Amino acid sequence: NKLAKLHTAGELLDNKYGEVGTDSRTAFHEKSIAWYYGEILRNRRKELKITQQELAEKVGTARSYIARVEKGEVDIQLSSFIRIARALGIEFTPTFI
């Protein structure tokens, strides 16, 4: 039966990156989050039809930094993320409980 041979996403991740809570799985999770947020920023920049250099100038940073953020290669601080997002017209509304 072909269905019996299928694996869940969790099983595949466990096999490749280790179980939840392990250092390797935590590192994978952190990299995937960085990539995800980089994609959001890159897609928005492209929607606005501005270059990495133009965005870097708006934010006051180097183009190479913007490139690394978009690729998920840098552990971006929240303040830097917000500064880049605002330069791209992305606003955040705080929610308080």
Side-chain angles (χ1 to χ4, degrees):
N1 187 351
K2 289 184 181 182
L3 293 178
K5 295 179 184 179
L6 294 178
H7 298 283
T8 66
E11 290 171 336
L12 294 173
L13 288 170
D14 288 349
N15 289 336
K16 187 163 185 171
Y17 300 104
E19 293 184 11
V20 173
T22 62
D23 289 343
S24 58
R25 184 67 169 266
T26 300
F28 167 75
H29 179 72
E30 289 171 359
K31 282 184 147 189
S32 66
I33 294 296
W35 174 85
Y36 175 73
Y37 287 116
E39 278 290 297
I40 290 170
L41 297 175
R42 182 177 66 84
N43 289 338
R44 177 65 177 155
R45 177 182 61 76
K46 288 187 171 196
E47 283 177 11
L48 297 174
K49 295 180 170 68
I50 63 173
T51 66
Q52 289 178 342
Q53 183 63 43
E54 291 168 329
L55 178 57
E57 289 170 4
K58 280 184 168 186
V59 176
T61 189
R63 187 210 55 80
S64 60
Y65 178 72
I66 298 297
R68 289 192 328 268
V69 166
E70 289 183 355
K71 292 178 186 175
E73 294 176 349
V74 64
D75 187 10
I76 189 171
Q77 293 181 353
L78 181 58
S79 59
S80 297
F81 178 81
I82 291 171
R83 197 169 65 246
I84 294 169
R86 284 189 175 149
L88 294 169
I90 301 170
E91 291 296 324
F92 300 92
T93 304
T95 304
F96 300 97
I97 299 174

